[in-house]
Amino acid sequence: MNKTLLSYLLIIGICGVAGVGSGVILKRTLGPIDEMYPPGFDPSEFSVNIEEIYGKYETLSNKTYDGVANSVNPKFSNSDIANIVLENYRRNENNYSLGIGVADAGIVAQTIRSAQIKRGNTYFEEQISYSSMVSVANRSIQEGKDGGVDLYGGSASGPETASYPEGPTQKFDRAGYKSYLGKSLDEMFIYIISDKTTTKSSVSKKGDDVELYLELNPNISTFNYKIQMQNISGLANLPPFSEVKLTYTFSKDLELKHLHVDETYVATKSGIPYPAKTHNLIEYYYYSNDASRDIPKSNEAINYSQEA
């Protein structure tokens, strides 16, 4: 197989499922493309204090938002609204999401599937990326917000099917898993969204729902995402992103329903000096409140149908 083609396949097969600003130095070379951060760089400086924002939101007598100015809109920026919507979703007793998309490097398209399930105090994630030449599958389970995480490395046999070992292939405490994969399972969302990372935003009505569009500074907003991609994929470095565009759809009660992700990055596989520019288009569908799914047993397949 052509070495360049193989490098593209290896990179997008794993990176696709890993689902910017001040002080950042972007180093581009003719071979590997590297992104470097200064010593002591702290991504939390660009994150919101969600407890503070959500505390203000909880004091409102009217917590609805229809995309037009009302009691919520004047008090919060668009990035604040996005964080409130995400926090509302996290705080549901039960929820689940399905991710369906494709990673396109121009040479080959890799299918992407991901699922998150929260059942009470138990958190579950699955990521599958598949093509006829490269396949990747992982499942993780976390018990409680402060609990450890079991990671099961599997083998994909199709776009939505994979087999997994009976026991975990890696075990982490919560901090170790977050350090290795950018976030813990209870955090659920990996992009850093704040006024400091948002470069453009707009709000519009979509029927009875609200559509919130955010363009994020592609370096800082993806810092945790890059750590996940590098460690899962065995990349030579943190992959630089050139664009991150997120479109959230939620109800007037700020209940998350959908996210459209449009992002572009370049990644270099360790030992292969051929960078791959990849374009991800992913649709995430979110279900909460009365909607629930059971966490699957060992090799029980996830049903990726939105009607299930």
Side-chain angles (χ1 to χ4, degrees):
M1 181 186 299
N2 179 279
K3 191 174 183 180
T4 304
L5 173 59
L6 177 58
S7 71
Y8 275 101
L9 292 171
L10 289 172
I11 292 168
I12 69 170
I14 305 174
C15 288
V17 294
V20 215
S22 173
V24 177
I25 303 170
L26 184 61
K27 177 186 176 184
R28 297 183 181 274
T29 67
L30 294 177
I33 294 180
D34 191 10
E35 184 155 73
M36 300 172 64
Y37 294 84
F41 173 77
D42 183 1
S44 67
E45 294 179 3
F46 298 87
S47 302
V48 299
N49 183 333
I50 189 58
E51 296 300 327
E52 179 181 339
I53 290 175
Y54 202 80
K56 292 178 180 178
Y57 166 71
E58 289 186 308
T59 66
L60 299 178
S61 57
N62 176 14
K63 297 182 177 63
T64 63
Y65 179 41
D66 62 4
V68 182
N70 56 26
S71 64
V72 172
N73 189 46
K75 295 180 180 295
F76 300 103
S77 67
N78 286 338
S79 66
D80 289 340
I81 294 292
N83 279 292
I84 292 169
V85 169
L86 299 183
E87 186 65 12
N88 274 337
Y89 180 81
R90 269 192 294 260
R91 293 192 179 203
N92 283 296
E93 180 70 13
N94 301 313
N95 61 44
Y96 71 91
S97 69
L98 303 173
I100 299 170
V102 62
D104 187 357
I107 296 176
V108 66
Q110 194 86 12
T111 61
I112 296 170
R113 298 291 185 272
S114 66
Q116 288 183 336
I117 302 173
K118 177 189 177 186
R119 293 284 286 175
N121 212 29
T122 303
Y123 302 84
F124 167 91
E125 287 189 7
E126 176 178 72
Q127 302 91 23
I128 299 176
S129 182
Y130 179 82
S131 75
S132 60
M133 306 184 76
V134 175
S135 63
V136 179
N138 286 293
R139 281 183 174 181
S140 301
I141 297 178
Q142 176 180 331
E143 293 290 347
K145 286 189 175 182
D146 297 320
V149 182
D150 290 344
L151 175 64
Y152 297 77
S155 176
S157 54
E160 300 180 356
T161 56
S163 59
Y164 298 93
E166 290 295 325
T169 51
Q170 292 178 274
K171 297 177 74 70
F172 301 86
D173 61 20
R174 183 182 184 275
Y177 186 85
K178 181 173 181 176
S179 176
Y180 183 65
L181 287 179
K183 68 173 182 61
S184 60
L185 268 64
D186 61 283
E187 289 176 307
M188 297 187 183
F189 306 103
I190 202 162
Y191 297 100
I192 300 174
I193 299 174
S194 69
D195 289 348
K196 294 179 180 179
T197 64
T198 300
T199 60
K200 183 179 180 180
S201 67
S202 62
V203 178
S204 60
K205 296 190 69 172
K206 187 178 181 181
D208 293 332
D209 295 326
V210 181
E211 193 168 84
L212 172 58
Y213 173 77
L214 299 176
E215 288 187 19
L216 302 182
N217 189 309
N219 296 321
I220 299 275
S221 69
T222 58
F223 179 81
N224 297 322
Y225 192 7
K226 291 167 188 168
I227 292 173
Q228 181 182 101
M229 293 169 71
Q230 183 178 28
N231 287 329
I232 286 183
S233 312
L235 298 183
N237 36 50
L238 298 177
F241 280 66
S242 57
E243 62 179 4
V244 177
K245 301 175 182 178
L246 309 179
T247 304
Y248 292 96
T249 303
F250 50 90
S251 72
K252 65 180 181 179
D253 296 318
L254 279 69
E255 289 294 331
L256 181 60
K257 292 186 174 183
H258 179 257
L259 167 63
H260 171 73
V261 174
D262 182 348
E263 60 191 11
T264 304
Y265 58 88
V266 179
T268 305
K269 185 74 175 174
S270 294
I272 303 176
Y274 301 102
K277 182 177 181 180
T278 304
H279 183 202
N280 283 357
L281 290 172
I282 310 174
E283 308 295 335
Y284 291 97
Y285 304 90
Y286 297 92
Y287 307 87
S288 54
N289 295 324
D290 295 333
S292 64
R293 287 193 179 193
D294 291 329
I295 292 173
K297 297 178 174 60
S298 178
N299 274 300
E300 182 182 359
I302 295 285
N303 184 346
Y304 279 94
S305 168
Q306 298 162 48
E307 289 75 32

